[in-house]
Structures are given as C-alpha cells and as structure tokens.
Amino acid sequence: MVKFSLDGKIALITGAAHGIGFSMAAALAKAGAKIAFNSSNEASMNKGLEEYKKIGINAKGYVCDVRDEKAVKAMIESITNEIGEIDILVNNAGIIRRIPAVDMDVEEYRNVLDVDLVAPFILSKAVAPSMIRRGGGKIINICSLMSELGRETVSAYAAAKGGLKMLTRTLASEWGKHNIQVNGIGPGYIATSQTAPLREKQTDGSPHPFDSFIIAKTPAERWGKPEDLEGPAVFLASDASDFVNGHILYVDGGILAYIGKQP
Ligand code: NAP
Ligand code: GCO
C-alpha cells in the first residue's frame, strides 16, 4: 500500500547493528528506504554490516558515539554526502544500568541520561534544519514501558525514558508546523542482549524468576521479539502516520494495560 511505502526515503537508525534497531532498520529497508546506521565501535558496526548483507540489505554503517555532538554532526554530513539528506531518524541507541540508586555513582547515572535522553536531542537537533528546509520528516524515539512505569535498580534508565517521552511531545509541538512528525515507540520486554541477564536460566535449568514474572505480567504471555517492532516502525516512518504527532506507541503485549496474573 502506497501509504506505507518508504521508496526514495533515507533513514538513519542509531545503534542498529543488532537488536531492536536492526529489526526496525531491516523493516524500513524492505519498505523501500535506504538505510544508514551507527555503532559505538568498528567491530560492532562491521558485524552489523555483515548481518545486513546476509538479508540482502545494502546498509551503510558509521562509527559514532551518539553522546558526542561534533561526531554526530560529522556523521550526518557524511550520510548527506554519501547517500543523501535524512528523511527518517530513529533514535534507537540506548543503554541501561541496573544498580540500586543508593549504590549508583552520579557519573553512571549521568552517562545513562547522556545516551538515552541527551543523544536523541543531539540527533534530532542535527537533522531538523534539513527536514524543515525540505518540508517535513519523521523522527521516532525509542522510549520504553519504563517511560510510564518504574521498578527497582533502573532509576537512570526510567528517568531517561520518561524524559524521552516528554522530549518527543515537545519536539512534536515545535516542529509540527514544519510537517515533521515526532513520535515514540515504547517497547515492553523484548528478548535482546539488553534483557538477556533477565532471562538467563537458573543453574538448575529453571526459568529466571524475572522471566516468569514478566510472563505473568504480560497478557500475550511471552517476551516480545525485535521483529514485533517492525510494523510499528514502518507505520511511524511512513505517510500513513502523517497526522500522528507526539504519540508514544507502546508495543508491549499489553503489559501496561494489565494488573498481572493472580499468583
Ligand atoms: P541493544 O541490543 O543493547 O542495542 C542498543 C544499541 O545501542 C547497541 O547496538 C549499541 O551499539 C548502541 N549504543 C549504545 N551506546 C551507544 C553510544 N554511546 N553511541 C552509539 N551507539 C550506542 O539493546 P536493544 O534491546 O536492541 O535496545 C534498543 C533500544 O530499545 C534502546 O533504546 C533500549 O533502551 C530500547 N528498549 C529496549 C527494550 C528491551 O526489552 N530490549 C525495551 C524497551 C526499550 P553498539 O553495541 O553497536 O556499539
Ligand atoms: C529492566 C528491563 C527493561 C527493558 C525495557 C522495558 O531491567 O526492567 O531492561 O528496562 O529493557 O526498557 O520496556
């Protein structure tokens, strides 16, 4: 369907060498977009390039620390010169540190916010002038169900993702008149390297307690897969969402709607 076509579009997905970013980038490519992605290091970027090649996607990879505004501006200039001006930005790069607040160094806390909240501002601010000049664009911020709920040990992450929800709404407010739609995707619990520690089997082979906890809290009774984010990403990157702005689309199997299974 034409509304969902990304033919002729150029998309930058940050942190998309693997995980959720990789799946969303692959989906945008299958819908017609040219893909640029970045990693924080060469090894991961090269591994990502190999994975894209394996599925027939001619992605272009860059090494760029999203916390570094100078490096981000240089990467965007390279993408513009080598591929073209960015139509779709997916702020996907993110980290988490699971440490009780009393034990968390302020520097550790600040670093999580730098990657998960400041970097999306840096990237969005860097691509917006071109989008404004050209009459529009799409920005998708990868939030989290932790943009709405907290839990122990993830103070920095939840604060960042909560802030990212409001950054999404604020940029949507500022740039809507320029036909730039700024939205978020809020994944629930997705099986990636980020959540691997929460799913590791116990020494006796039994499920990790957190694994069982999430299954009981999720109406779909399963962890999400990176592939579950493909359709939402194409929707928010395409003309099909031209009147959707400042919205956080939760892709969580219903966890935010559910009090949880009675033990
Ligand atoms: P992941 O596999 O760890 O991917 C995160 C990516 O971020 C990595 O590829 C990493 O790149 C990149 N990254 C981290 N710091 C960076 C930096 N300073 N500069 C450049 N790139 C950097 O995790 P994921 O689960 O796919 O998460 C992707 C996004 O979804 C994150 O924003 C995460 O918070 C969010 N999310 C995840 C879940 C979940 O359950 N998995 C749920 C909700 C939201 P390299 O390693 O290639 O350098
Ligand atoms: C955790 C998890 C979550 C998920 C995700 C939930 O420690 O609770 O890592 O933070 O990664 O963000 O949507």
Side-chain angles (χ1 to χ4, degrees):
M1 194 180 155
V2 175
K3 279 265 181 195
F4 290 90
S5 168
L6 302 180
D7 283 344
K9 302 290 186 187
I10 293 165
L12 168 60
I13 305 92
T14 63
H18 49 85
I20 288 172
F22 181 89
S23 286
M24 292 190 296
L28 299 186
K30 286 171 195 157
K34 287 183 183 167
I35 301 300
F37 75 98
N38 76 295
S39 281
S40 61
N41 65 81
E42 187 108 25
S44 182
M45 188 272 285
N46 286 327
K47 189 165 183 334
L49 280 177
E50 284 166 28
E51 293 306 311
Y52 282 111
K53 275 196 191 109
K54 278 181 195 166
I55 57 173
I57 293 173
N58 180 25
K60 199 136 177 47
Y62 297 83
V63 177
C64 173
D65 183 337
V66 291
R67 298 169 297 181
D68 179 343
E69 186 175 20
K70 198 158 166 264
V72 164
K73 285 181 173 175
M75 172 176 66
I76 288 170
E77 190 177 347
S78 301
I79 293 169
T80 303
N81 295 336
E82 294 161 13
I83 311 175
E85 295 191 87
I86 294 165
D87 303 294
I88 302 158
L89 168 65
V90 182
N91 283 308
N92 168 77
I95 60 172
I96 191 168
R97 295 291 179 266
R98 301 182 184 94
I99 306 169
V102 286
D103 301 329
M104 184 176 233
D105 293 340
V106 173
E107 270 323 296
E108 189 89 60
Y109 183 93
R110 194 170 277 125
N111 185 48
V112 172
L113 265 67
D114 275 345
V115 178
D116 294 4
L117 180 56
V118 178
F121 176 75
I122 292 172
L123 268 294
S124 303
K125 187 175 180 295
V127 301
S130 160
M131 289 181 175
I132 291 169
R133 176 169 39 80
R134 290 180 297 125
K138 299 282 187 177
I139 297 175
I140 303 168
N141 293 320
I142 306 306
C143 299
S144 161
L145 75 81
M146 302 232 131
S147 299
E148 302 294 345
L149 296 177
R151 80 174 185 88
E152 304 83 355
T153 76
V154 292
S155 57
Y157 182 83
K161 294 297 189 181
L164 188 55
K165 172 177 74 172
M166 290 316 300
L167 176 65
T168 300
R169 290 176 175 166
T170 307
L171 295 182
S173 306
E174 276 193 41
W175 295 340
K177 58 178 172 285
H178 300 298
N179 188 34
I180 297 171
Q181 288 81 51
V182 186
N183 291 292
I185 291 176
Y189 280 89
I190 314 295
T192 69
S193 54
Q194 194 220 56
T195 54
L198 306 174
R199 290 177 284 109
E200 271 158 18
K201 288 238 182 288
Q202 304 295 284
T203 46
D204 64 2
S206 62
H208 191 297
F210 198 90
D211 184 353
S212 312
F213 168 67
I214 290 303
I215 299 297
K217 290 285 283 180
T218 307
E221 295 189 348
R222 68 172 174 89
W223 285 71
K225 309 184 293 286
E227 295 77 10
D228 290 321
L229 283 306
E230 293 179 2
V234 171
F235 168 63
L236 290 178
S238 70
D239 295 349
S241 60
D242 280 357
F243 202 53
V244 179
N245 214 352
H247 182 72
I248 312 298
L249 176 54
Y250 287 101
V251 184
D252 66 356
I255 197 169
L256 281 174
Y258 185 38
I259 194 170
K261 198 179 294 308
Q262 185 180 347

